[in-house]
Amino acid sequence: MARLHANLSKSFRTLFILLVVSLLLGAGLFKLYRVHAAQLNARSVMLSNSAVDATNVSYEFNFDVATAGTVGSVKFEFCSNSPLIGEPCTPPWGFDSLNATLSSQSGMTGFSINPSPNVNEIEITRVPSAATPGAASFTFGNIQNPADLGSAYVRVLTYASNNATGPETDSGGLAFAMSEDVTIVAEVPPYLTFCSGVSIAGFDCSTASGDFIDFGILSPTTANAGQSQMMIATNAGSGYSVRASGPTMTSGINVLPTMSSGLSQPGTGQFGMNLRANVLPSVGQDTQGPGGGQPGVGYNVPNRFSFNDGDVIAGNALPEDFRKYTLSYIVNVAPDQPPGVYATTLTYICLANF
Amino acid sequence: MKTKNRILRRGLYAVFGLVLTVAAVLPGLGSKAAAYGQITSRSIMISNSATSATSVEYTIGFTETASGIVKSIVVDFCDASPLYGDACTVPGTFSASGASLTGQTGTSGWTLSGATAGHFVISGASFNSAAAMTFTVAGITNPSATGSYYARIYTYAAQSNNYSNVTTPGTVLDFGGIALSTANVISITAKVQETLTFCVSGAAPTSGCGGTSTPAVTLGHGTPAVLTSSQVDDNGTTTPTYTQLTTNAASGAIVRMKNSNTCGGLSKDGGSTCDIAPKGSVGAISAGTAAFGLYVAGGSGGTGTVTANANYNDGTSTHYAMRTANVTSTYGDPIESSSGPVSDVNSQLTFAAGAASTTPAGVYTANMTLIATGTF
């Protein structure tokens, strides 16, 4: 009986103790509270690229150190679910900071990367030393962005230890976002503006008029001259060339000889042209317009005339911004030139090289 | 049988006697001589019920019912009993030793003295009976234990009363006991996480970046759309582009823009050269000029303000900009920003381009990256 009494007392004692402890826990006397670190203020993370899956991205962190004291390490933990310190962290899908480099640091310096086995963690370390409250900045390069559009988070924690263990000194969360790029497309079509006429007003092809030049009665004592114009504009990347196609002036079997960079010689049978302002005889104009095209070889010297079927008479190796050429024609005849109506039809062909 | 009844009767008499004796004695056993009246409408309001709180204010209020003139008041604090004359232990770490009288209503000119750990005296000019008054005493430290504790208030006709100790309070006019209690402080924690939601869309986003589409801008006119030297084309109505920003960043957010072409404009060779050059500083693009630029409208809708950067909005919606060095820098060129938290604020981006007569034929492209940075 006595032993039974003793056992019961012991049991009651145990129960009593348990009851007291329960009551004390209920009263909150043994409640454990998470000690919250001071917050890192004015904190931000700036990315060099917000495209999903982008590689070699730089992340620049800026924040104000809140607590004066020893700092030996800083941890940057990237999460897809929450920036809250202490909450479970899910690494952002596709994110990779394993090969991150510390490309710059300021305010709190002397850190180097402490290799982390986690793709979503960057840890920097130094010999623990005093940190002065104030602005700090760290830039990491060679990071791969998350693979999902939308928000992601970073938790920044400073530690007195040099290996990010123990209680954090200061901490703060950040949010950033992956977004779509804007793709801009614009097409510039190839174009060529080319016109010819006896005259063209300004640089407006709609004003081109006349397709017949009458030299009148040919004389062995005086050079006969005439002119026409052509205008060109093109965005051909490799420019253009203009060829003159057609025979010299003929009347039946009677032919006026062509010229080859020769001077006008009245009394000598000649047919030639150039694209310059001439004095002997007085005919033609130099090339006009903002473009850069030039008369071709043999057609670019004042008072010297040439003609050869198929010759390139003008051109530019670059795109042309409105260029107007004036073609000067001369006809000379010998005293014994057989009579007749001498004529020719010239065709100008502009070839743009895109 | 008779003996049994006698015994029974005696027992009953004994019981009745005992009952009567107890009934007669009990009132005497349980009470002391009631030579004082009761203080009515009494209370002590404390400014902080947290255990061990310091600099707590105790406002003692009551209505004096004594017919005599009260000239002093004594207050004792006890851990176990409010009853007159009962033993009294100062509750835990309770202390009134630093008490001071900081206010009084219904009377005036009273002072506090004799403050000890569990006791103080307030005395001074008399006041009329049946008056409601309060005395605010500051500088008190609460008990360290959670739970009830008590105060005993005694009034005296003498300014220098004959209070001796808590069990011998002297010649009391009126008395009143009060129960007080400390309580656990309720800690409330609520976490608001940092948020930043940012999207770029070909359609105006609805709340929370809903209803978005992949932004794809085509600049040109006609069918198919082409750029010529005859006019400047933009995407304002054809293929619009929007951003939406939501953030609780205390210092707001900045949206920056980068051009994938290192030359800053539109390129047909992957960005090495830009035959359609970046516009540069904000201004008009003339027809026949090969240039590419952006106009930012600034925020609309939602809550909060997103302001277009002046470099991309000079007040004229047909003025555009594309700052070469900035849009090709590491983090891009700021195009809009907020100075505080914003929610669901949309902003339209209008890109424009023109071609010169010498702009080489080809398909020109650029990838514009938009990056939002919040400062929390």
Side-chain angles (χ1 to χ4, degrees), chain A residues 26-29 33-34 36 39-51 58-60 81-85 87 139-140 150-153 172-191 233-237 319-322 354, chain B residues 146 184-185 187 189 191-200 212-220 224-229 241 251 256 258 266 276 292 329-331 349 351 353 355-376:
Chain A
L29 293 182
Y33 292 95
R34 177 182 169 82
H36 292 284
Q39 192 168 68
L40 295 166
N41 292 318
R43 58 192 184 277
S44 65
V45 58
M46 186 163 59
L47 279 61
S48 65
N49 193 339
S50 63
S58 293
Y59 282 60
E60 180 181 305
N81 57 316
S82 169
L84 297 176
I85 311 296
E87 296 293 314
T139 301
F140 300 100
S151 302
Y153 308 95
L174 290 161
F176 59 98
M178 298 291 102
S179 61
E180 292 208 69
D181 282 354
V182 181
T183 302
I184 312 283
V185 176
E187 183 170 6
V188 176
Y191 86 92
T234 182
N235 65 349
E320 188 69 272
D321 186 9
F322 295 104
F354 291 94
Chain B
T146 305
N184 281 328
V185 173
S187 295
T189 300
K191 298 179 181 178
V192 177
Q193 67 179 52
E194 293 81 359
T195 62
L196 188 146
T197 304
F198 178 70
C199 56
V200 185
T212 57
S213 63
T214 300
V217 173
T218 300
L219 296 174
V226 293
L227 277 184
T228 68
S229 60
T241 303
S251 299
R256 295 179 172 87
K258 289 182 64 174
L266 296 180
I276 301 179
F292 169 61
S329 65
T330 303
Y331 298 104
L349 310 182
F351 296 92
S357 57
T358 55
T359 302
V363 177
Y364 291 80
T365 63
N367 262 358
M368 313 305 293
T369 300
L370 294 150
I371 308 163
T373 302
T375 300
F376 296 88

Side-chain angles (χ1 to χ4, degrees), chain A residues 196-201 204-205 207-211 227-230 324:
Chain A
S196 66
V198 174
S199 67
I200 300 173
D204 185 356
C205 274
T207 66
S209 63
D211 59 1
Q227 67 180 47
S228 67
Q229 293 183 310
M230 64 182 182
K324 185 163 74 173

